[in-house]
Amino acid sequence: MEITASAPAEPTTSTLHKLLRMRETGLIAIILVMFVIMSFASPYFLTWVNMRAMVMAFAVEGIVVVGMTILLISGGIDLSVGSVTALSMVIAGWLFLQGIDPWVASAIAIAACTAIGAFMGFFVTRVGLHHFIVSLAIMVIARGACLLGTGGRPLGLYTLPPEFKFIGQGTIGPIPLVIIIFLVVVLVFDFMLRRTTVFRKVFYTGSNEKAAAYSGIRTKKVIFLTTTLCSALAGFAGIIYMARFGSAQPTFGLGMELNVIAAAVIGGASLTGGSGTIFGAILGVVLLSVVSSSLALLDVSVYWQDIIRGSILLAAVSVDHYLHKKRG
């Protein structure tokens, strides 16, 4: 009598195979390897001060990455996030200097950024323009508004109340509040993107907008909402930056769109829409932050850092294009 006992191992093998194919698994491996290498290359890399600086550096930008990832999944893109973040700071800072309560000023600034996203969504869904063109125009307009409203000079907000500064500078125990806010945003939107019916429509819209529309999904509404959400989160990030630095910088966020898009694409978001995860995008942010920190500790010129970040983006987009062609 012959007995076969190998069949039950198949689910485990299949699960392991899927795990190894996940983009997130590869990113985690790369990050861990870089940690090991840098721990030998620099005695300062694994210090608490450097780890805290790295996390603080990507935490607020990570909030913008969340919005960008959802927008990319829906098939859109936003080049204006850096300018909108700066505009949020400038609006809130200017209103505060006019005597308005900082909380009210911040709410107005976030509402204004949300309106900018709705404005872009209108031009994309109703006028029929491409996200790239609309967001490029808004990027220039918002940056011009920042410079016009401040005369090109930073707004010193030295009299911000301590309870407001606590958003960007305070800690709960040993953990900075900024990191807690970042984690809450990531967990909430990651859950919504994975589990809720409303956000699942984002994937269907990005994968095939016409097919999604035929199936009854209001694709234009989905695109409008994801565009609006991206700008709203950029505005929210601007308020946290203002509380952290105690000033409003009209030139803040220059090049942020490069880092944000690179992080999302590295994490698995496709520029053609239909795929991506919040968790993967955050791993992309972590990877870029580790790279920047490593280059700084190794005393690499800041100009080389820009070249390396741009090369990483090009490589990530090339891989995404290759995988998309392979699936197609």
Side-chain angles (χ1 to χ4, degrees), residues 7 51 55 83 112 125 132 135 167 176 180 193 207 216 227 235 256 295 307:
M51 290 295 105
V55 176
S83 298
T125 59
F132 185 90
S135 62
I167 300 174
I180 296 175
L193 201 58
S207 296
T227 305
M256 178 188 286
L295 293 174
I307 293 172

Side-chain angles (χ1 to χ4, degrees), residues 42-306:
S42 172
Y44 305 106
F45 182 77
L46 289 179
T47 61
W48 166 249
V49 174
N50 187 57
M51 290 295 105
R52 187 179 187 276
M54 271 203 303
V55 176
M56 290 290 286
F58 73 68
V60 188
E61 192 169 275
I63 294 174
V64 184
V65 171
V66 169
M68 181 66 77
T69 302
I70 296 172
L71 180 58
L72 285 171
I73 294 171
S74 73
I77 193 169
D78 189 350
L79 302 179
S80 70
V81 287
S83 298
V84 171
T85 300
L87 185 61
S88 176
M89 298 171 70
V90 168
I91 291 174
W94 184 85
L95 290 174
F96 171 71
L97 293 177
Q98 305 310 306
I100 296 177
D101 180 82
W103 300 102
V104 175
S106 298
I108 293 172
I110 294 173
C113 293
T114 304
I116 289 173
F119 181 77
M120 287 193 290
F122 172 81
F123 272 89
V124 171
T125 59
R126 298 301 180 187
V127 180
L129 299 181
H130 194 277
H131 266 104
F132 185 90
I133 299 299
V134 176
S135 62
L136 182 63
I138 295 299
M139 178 181 74
V140 177
I141 293 170
R143 185 66 65 185
C146 290
L147 297 171
L148 181 65
T150 62
R153 297 182 297 274
L155 300 178
L157 309 174
Y158 310 112
T159 56
L160 280 172
E163 59 270 20
F164 185 83
K165 288 183 179 180
F166 186 77
I167 300 174
Q169 302 175 11
T171 60
I172 297 179
I175 306 175
L177 182 59
V178 168
I179 297 174
I180 296 175
I181 294 172
F182 162 69
L183 290 175
V184 169
V185 171
V186 168
L187 291 174
V188 167
F189 282 101
D190 185 69
F191 174 81
M192 293 175 70
L193 201 58
R194 292 176 187 271
R195 301 295 182 183
T196 63
T197 304
V198 174
F199 274 82
R200 293 306 297 177
K201 293 177 181 178
V202 174
F203 285 95
Y204 302 141
T205 300
S207 296
N208 191 323
E209 186 179 345
K210 288 185 178 180
Y214 286 137
S215 68
I217 296 174
R218 298 172 63 184
T219 55
K220 290 189 182 299
K221 182 179 179 181
V222 171
I223 294 170
F224 178 86
L225 291 176
T226 54
T227 305
T228 304
L229 175 64
C230 186
S231 291
L233 287 175
F236 178 56
I239 298 304
I240 299 176
Y241 276 123
M242 186 181 77
R244 180 181 172 188
F245 300 125
S247 65
Q249 305 278 349
T251 57
F252 184 83
L254 288 170
M256 178 188 286
E257 60 281 346
L258 170 65
N259 290 338
V260 169
I261 294 171
V265 174
I266 289 170
S270 174
L271 290 176
T272 57
S275 65
T277 64
I278 301 296
F279 179 58
I282 297 308
L283 287 176
V285 176
V286 174
L287 176 61
L288 290 177
S289 182
V290 171
V291 169
S292 295
S293 177
S294 302
L295 293 174
L297 289 173
L298 295 175
D299 201 25
V300 176
S301 168
V302 66
Y303 306 116
W304 273 109
Q305 292 181 34
D306 290 338

Side-chain angles (χ1 to χ4, degrees), residues 6-22:
S6 59
E10 288 184 7
T12 304
T13 305
S14 177
T15 302
L16 181 61
H17 183 64
K18 289 180 180 178
L19 183 64
L20 292 174
R21 290 183 61 186
M22 288 174 61

